[in-house]
Amino acid sequence: LQLYLCDLYAGCQLVERQLPAIARHASDADWRTEVQALAETAGLRAQRMHAASEDGCEDGPDNLWMRGIMDDADRDTRNISVGPALDLAMIGALRKAIAAELASIRTAKAIAVRLDANAALQALMLNEAQLRNADEALDQRLETLA
């Protein structure tokens, strides 16, 4: 369980650090604010994972899956002009990040149930709910842009 919590922690920290630079390329202020808020909530999810871990996660390995997603999103900001096409690419990247995090959360939840780790399970459930809400909001924005 510790491994999954620290992997989630690392992924959330990465999103929190890299997403503000990506957000600057959003086509309008509302969208920029929405992306910035996603970075802030990633920080909250990281805090929950750190608190739920037994030994802390400061020296844990990088989350390679999330690194790839964020690097792709950053590349898009350099290769796609600001506007609807970039907004769509940003939505895609954000939804990939959410899907990756949710996959890890589901596994960690199963382990937490098996180990009767209720504090970790509660933190994971909070993060899962937050991600589902974010994904729904991104899906609505995607429908609006499409």
Side-chain angles (χ1 to χ4, degrees), residues 50-129:
H50 187 271
S53 69
E54 294 173 4
D55 301 321
C57 299
E58 286 81 15
D59 297 324
D62 195 15
N63 184 311
L64 298 178
W65 199 5
M66 197 63 74
R67 163 99 34 226
I69 293 167
M70 289 292 101
D71 287 350
D72 284 351
D74 181 59
R75 183 192 60 219
D76 288 345
T77 65
R78 292 188 311 272
N79 294 311
I80 303 171
S81 298
V82 172
L86 179 56
D87 290 346
L88 289 168
M90 289 169 67
I91 291 169
L94 292 167
R95 294 189 80 197
K96 286 177 197 175
I98 288 169
E101 194 172 340
L102 284 172
S104 292
I105 285 173
R106 287 186 194 108
T107 304
K109 280 176 48 183
I111 295 168
V113 167
R114 180 99 181 186
L115 297 175
D116 200 28
N118 291 326
L121 182 60
Q122 291 301 315
L124 290 161
M125 290 171 60
L126 285 170
N127 283 5
E128 182 179 37

